[in-house]
Amino acid sequence: MVTFSGLNYVNVGPHGTFTASGHLTTTPGDIDAIFQHLAAHGKQKLAIHFHGGLIDEGAGLDIARKMAPLYAEAGCHPVTFVWETGLVETISRNLTRLHQTKLFQKLVEYVIRHVGKRLGGGIGGKGPGEAMALDEIERELARTDAFDRFDAGARGAAGGLDEAELPVVRDEIELEVGLELDADKELSELVGSGMAETEHMKPEVRQAMAPGAAKGVVEMATLAKAVAAVAFNVLRRYLRKTDHGLYPTVIEEVLRQLYLADFGAWVWGGMKDVAAKMWLPDHVGSYFLDKLSRHQQANPGLVVELIGHSAGSIAICEMFKSAAARDVGLRTRNVLFLAPACRADLFLAEIVRHPERYAAFRMFTMHDDFEREDRLVPGVYTRSLLYFISGVLEDAADVPIVG
């Protein structure tokens, strides 16, 4: 039975430094104590766990407590890297907040209406060129599996589109939506009242939506152009077979086109920043890595196991990259990835192309059917966190994610 203490975790501060934040703090002396403990007790197996960088400090510490006895039973001394970002909470809170605004709901409905019209595929029982009525769309959106039953038909129908013609289609959608928005009294009143809740939009969109001398006209034109741009992106993803299903793809592209400025990508970017910067000289990870390397040189029999869950896989990839760049010697037996959230290009560069860095590699993921049913925010975003990272938080839509 392991007695959980500071010997079983390393807290990573802002930007990967030793700077104190939250309730936990790890100092260089705390890391020294870990390796002094290994030497004093003749520990020959070390399990280093990187939890997903998507949770707050308290949850990270809870994971460290839960994993410690499991690794101890396997004969390992457990050390968990605790790094807080709160991404899941940020995404859930912001998605729910946006979904509750009438403007967001209207934008999603109009995009679905015009994408469905171009795809056909039996969406809502309609054929190519037929659009669902907004009340039909609202009823479908009330389902927990909104539009999933139409995905196969939509993908089949997308084969009838020509990507070269999409710019013309975008212009057509903008004209059609412009006329429909002018006739939408509910939306006109919402925009005209100045209560359209645009504060979470990108600055350039928010500015265009601000009431001015041509109040009403500019706003509607801005919305029509935005709907057409989003529909264009969704249709192009269908043609390129990079969609995540009709409804999730629409949500992703609405967020990317209009809301991502302060939505949550900064949290994901900040998490990846910590995953990389913790291995810089004089930062928490590099200090730990240097101590580990020297301890392993003094104790050649020490077995090191690396386990990365979700974004923890990014931290491990960045660790290998840093160790190679600084020529830090490290012998690793097993590398285990659990539902890894790292990009495929990073995984290829640091894991696949360097099998000499470890004796064995194993990865555990969910089948895509389960990923699609693992709804991040039920009724709002109907795919998993990994789908959301790929579709929204990376710098391009549908970035390949290893998990």
Side-chain angles (χ1 to χ4, degrees), residues 95-261:
L95 267 179
T96 300
R97 184 181 63 211
L98 288 177
H99 187 257
Q100 291 170 344
T101 67
K102 196 63 181 179
L103 178 59
F104 182 82
Q105 293 172 11
K106 284 282 189 180
L107 289 171
V108 169
E109 289 169 11
Y110 275 109
V111 173
I112 289 175
R113 173 178 166 85
H114 285 273
V115 168
K117 179 179 178 179
R118 270 68 189 184
L119 287 177
I123 296 176
K126 309 296 183 182
E130 295 183 285
M132 293 180 70
L134 293 180
D135 60 342
E136 292 179 301
I137 294 172
E138 289 173 1
R139 286 196 296 272
E140 181 64 27
L141 289 177
R143 296 171 57 100
T144 57
D145 59 347
F147 288 96
D148 282 358
R149 55 196 172 135
F150 303 123
D151 284 340
R155 290 194 184 95
L161 296 174
D162 184 345
E163 186 168 345
E165 296 176 356
L166 285 187
V168 175
V169 173
R170 178 182 56 202
D171 294 341
E172 290 176 350
I173 293 175
E174 185 176 341
L175 289 173
E176 294 175 13
V177 172
L179 294 173
E180 293 171 355
L181 293 181
D182 288 339
D184 190 329
K185 293 182 179 180
E186 182 182 26
L187 185 58
S188 295
E189 291 175 0
L190 178 66
V191 173
S193 69
M195 301 295 290
E197 298 178 288
T198 61
E199 66 269 24
H200 304 299
M201 288 181 153
K202 288 184 176 181
E204 61 271 24
V205 180
R206 185 169 63 245
Q207 184 176 1
M209 289 286 292
K215 185 176 180 180
V217 176
V218 173
E219 290 92 338
M220 290 305 180
T222 298
L223 289 179
K225 186 178 290 293
V227 169
V230 172
F232 172 88
N233 290 340
V234 173
L235 290 169
R236 185 170 57 184
R237 284 179 63 179
Y238 264 91
L239 282 170
R240 295 179 176 180
K241 296 180 173 57
T242 61
D243 68 278
H244 292 165
L246 179 59
Y247 177 61
T249 305
V250 168
I251 294 294
E252 291 167 8
E253 292 301 330
V254 167
L255 292 173
R256 295 186 71 90
Q257 189 76 20
L258 301 173
Y259 288 92
L260 204 51

Side-chain angles (χ1 to χ4, degrees), residues 337-353:
F337 279 4
L338 316 173
C342 62
R343 291 172 57 127
D345 51 2
L346 179 64
F347 177 73
L348 178 65
E350 305 304 331
I351 301 296
V352 176
R353 290 178 177 164

Side-chain angles (χ1 to χ4, degrees), residues 237 253 256 343 389-400:
R237 284 179 63 179
E253 292 301 330
R256 295 186 71 90
R343 291 172 57 127
I389 290 169
S390 170
V392 179
L393 299 186
E394 287 290 348
D395 53 9
D398 193 48
V399 168

